[in-house]
Amino acid sequence: MLNRLWLGFFLTATVAALAQWLVGGNAGVFAAMVGSLFEMAKLSVEVMILLFGTLTLWLGLLRIAEAAGVVDVLARWLGPLFGRLMPEVPRGHPAIGLITLNFAANALGLDNAATPIGLRAMRELQTLNPSADTASNAQILFLVLNASSLTLLPVSIFMYRAQQGAADPTLVFLPILLATSASTLVGLFSVAFMQRLKLHDPVVLIWLAVVGLLLGGFMAVLATLSATALAGLSSLLGNLTLFAIVIAFLLAGAWRKVPVYESFVDGAKQGFEVAKNLLPYLVAMLCAVGVLRASGALDFALDGIRWLVHAFGWDTRFVDALPTALVKPFSGSAARAMLIETMKTHGVDSFPALVAATVQGSTETTFYVLAVYFGAVGIQRARHAVGCALLADLAGVIASIAVCYWFFG
C-alpha cells in the first residue's frame, strides 16, 4: 500500500505539472517541484533534530515509569477493554499501558509527550507482530485512533485565532470537540469492520458509554465558562498535566526505589536510537508530499470541488476552507499556513476561517503519523491502515463543515 501510495504522489504531481506547463504555460512549476524536494529534505532533518530531544526526554521518563510499575498498573486496569479491541495483545502487556498514556496525552493536546509515548507503544506492539514489515491488527487500530486526533483541549487553535485578533479565540471549542469525536468514532468503527471486532461486547459498550458520559459532562461544564476562563483553563490544564506526569513518574520511581537517574539515561539512549532510524521514512514521505503540493495538484482538486458544489446549487462558502482540509493529511505545517492564510484573507471570524479552524483541530497529519509510527518499527505494508485513517479524516472534515453550519451558519 505504501509503495503504491508513494509512487502515486509523484505520478499525480507529474500529471498536474505537465498540465500547468502545456495548458497554462507555467514552465516554472518544475523549478518549484525540484525546490520543494530540497526544502522537504531539509525540513525532515529539522523535524529529526526536534524529535531527538523530545524522544530522549520522554523515553527516559517512560523507562522510570516502567521500572516503577506505572505502565503495568494501567495495563491491568484496561486489560478487559483492550482484550476485545486488540485480542492478539496479551492481558497486562506493557503496550496497553503505553497506549493509554498516549491517548491521554493526545486528548489533552500534549503533542510533545504523545508522540514519544506512541512510538514506544508501537515498538512494544511490534514485539508481538509475527511479520517484521507488515502492520498487525493492533498496530493498525492504534495508528488509526492516533490519526483521528481526539483532542479535548485544542490550545494551539485558540492561539492562532488570538494572534489573528479574534474577539473570542475559543469560539470553535465545541465545534472542534464534536468534529474530532466524529472522526475518532468513524476511525474505530472502520477498523472494527475490517478486523471484525465485536464492538457490541458488553465490556466495550460499557467503556464507550462511560467515556461518552464523561466527555459529555466535560463539554457541558466547559460550555458554561467565558472565553477568557476557557482559554486560561486550557493552557493551565495542559501544562499542569504535562508537568504532573513528569513528577508522578519520578515520585513513583523513588517510592519503588528505582535508580531514577540511571533508568532515565538508559531510556534516553533508546530514544536516540529510535529517532535516528526515522529519518529515511520522513524524507521519503515529506518529499512526496512537497512535490504534490508544489505541482498544483491540490489547487486543481479545490477548483474541481468548487465547480461541483456550485453545479449542485449548494452554499459554496465552505469551499474556501478546504485548502486546510486537503493538505492536513499530508503536512501539518502546510495546513497551519493554509489556516492562517484563510483567516487573513476572509477574516478570523468569517465562516471559511471558522470551518478551517475546526478542521485543523479535528483531524491529524495522517501521512506524517504513518511515516513516523510505522517507520519507527520498519513497517512497509500498512494494509488497511491508510484507508481507515483517511476515512476518519474525511469524517472529521464533513463533521467540521456540518457543525459550523449548525453553530455559525
Side-chain angles (χ1 to χ4, degrees), residues 298-384:
L298 295 178
D299 294 330
F300 287 145
L302 185 64
D303 290 339
I305 293 172
R306 192 188 305 277
W307 178 87
L308 189 63
V309 170
H310 182 74
F312 277 97
W314 296 341
D315 187 346
T316 61
R317 286 181 299 162
F318 74 91
V319 178
D320 291 319
L322 290 186
T324 301
L326 289 175
V327 303
K328 186 63 189 287
F330 306 110
S331 171
S333 60
R336 182 168 57 250
M338 293 293 187
L339 169 62
I340 295 173
E341 190 274 336
T342 302
M343 289 178 178
K344 288 182 176 179
T345 301
H346 300 278
V348 66
D349 286 324
S350 65
F351 187 79
L354 292 170
V355 174
T358 306
V359 169
Q360 177 78 358
S362 65
T363 61
E364 187 51 271
T365 313
T366 298
F367 291 108
Y368 172 80
V369 173
L370 191 76
V372 170
Y373 277 58
F374 280 173
V377 292
I379 294 295
Q380 299 177 18
R381 294 180 174 85
R383 299 173 59 208
H384 51 277

Side-chain angles (χ1 to χ4, degrees), residues 77-78 81-82 85 100 103-104 107 145 148 150-152 177-178 180-182 184-185 188-189 202-220:
W77 284 353
L78 292 170
L81 173 63
F82 282 101
L85 297 180
T100 305
F103 287 165
L145 291 180
S148 69
L150 179 60
T151 304
L152 300 180
L177 198 54
L178 292 173
T180 191
S181 298
T184 299
L185 285 175
L188 174 61
F189 292 152
V203 173
V204 178
L205 291 177
I206 290 172
W207 272 96
L208 289 177
V210 170
V211 171
L213 288 174
L214 291 175
L215 184 61
F218 184 63
M219 289 172 60

Side-chain angles (χ1 to χ4, degrees), residues 63 106 129 182 207 342:
R63 179 56 61 87
N106 270 322
N129 189 357
W207 272 96
T342 302

Side-chain angles (χ1 to χ4, degrees), residues 30 77 99 189 244 248 251 313 380 382 395 408:
F30 297 105
W77 284 353
I99 290 170
F189 292 152
L251 291 178
Q380 299 177 18
F408 317 118

Side-chain angles (χ1 to χ4, degrees), residues 284-296:
M285 191 60 72
L286 289 181
C287 284
V289 169
V291 167
L292 186 69
R293 192 171 72 241
S295 70

Side-chain angles (χ1 to χ4, degrees), residues 16-246:
L18 288 173
Q20 286 215 52
W21 175 39
L22 298 177
V23 178
N26 179 17
V29 64
F30 297 105
M33 292 168 65
V34 172
S36 180
L37 279 175
F38 292 105
E39 180 184 347
M40 290 298 104
K42 178 184 176 182
L43 177 62
S44 300
V45 176
E46 292 173 351
V47 170
M48 282 305 309
I49 292 173
L50 176 62
L51 282 177
F52 268 122
T54 305
L55 283 172
T56 52
L57 169 65
W58 283 100
L59 291 185
L61 292 169
L62 274 177
R63 179 56 61 87
I64 297 173
E66 287 179 313
V70 174
V71 175
D72 290 337
V73 170
L74 289 172
R76 286 196 298 271
W77 284 353
L78 292 170
L81 173 63
F82 282 101
R84 274 75 173 178
L85 297 180
M86 299 178 178
E88 67 267 40
V89 180
R91 294 280 183 94
H93 193 274
I96 295 176
L98 292 167
I99 290 170
T100 305
L101 289 173
N102 170 263
F103 287 165
N106 270 322
L108 294 170
L110 308 177
D111 296 337
N112 289 337
T115 299
I117 296 171
L119 292 176
R120 184 74 174 80
M122 189 64 75
R123 287 171 68 87
E124 288 292 339
L125 291 174
Q126 183 67 2
T127 64
L128 303 171
N129 189 357
S131 174
D133 62 353
T134 302
S136 67
N137 284 347
Q139 288 174 317
I140 291 173
L141 177 59
F142 179 51
L143 182 132
V144 170
L145 291 180
N146 260 274
S148 69
S149 182
L150 179 60
T151 304
L152 300 180
L153 294 171
V155 179
S156 61
I157 307 300
F158 301 158
M159 180 188 68
Y160 300 147
R161 285 179 45 77
Q163 288 175 343
Q164 297 302 314
D168 182 0
T170 60
L171 185 64
V172 293
F173 170 74
L174 288 178
I176 288 176
L177 198 54
L178 292 173
T180 191
S181 298
S183 67
T184 299
L185 285 175
V186 169
L188 174 61
F189 292 152
S190 63
V191 174
F193 175 79
M194 295 297 298
Q195 299 180 5
R196 293 176 172 78
L197 298 176
K198 298 179 180 178
L199 295 183
H200 58 272
D201 185 280
V203 173
V204 178
L205 291 177
I206 290 172
W207 272 96
L208 289 177
V210 170
V211 171
L213 288 174
L214 291 175
L215 184 61
F218 184 63
M219 289 172 60
V221 171
L222 293 178
T224 65
L225 300 178
S226 66
T228 303
L230 185 56
L233 177 64
S234 297
S235 178
L236 175 63
L237 187 58
N239 289 298
L240 183 61
T241 302
L242 188 60
F243 191 70
I245 290 172
V246 174

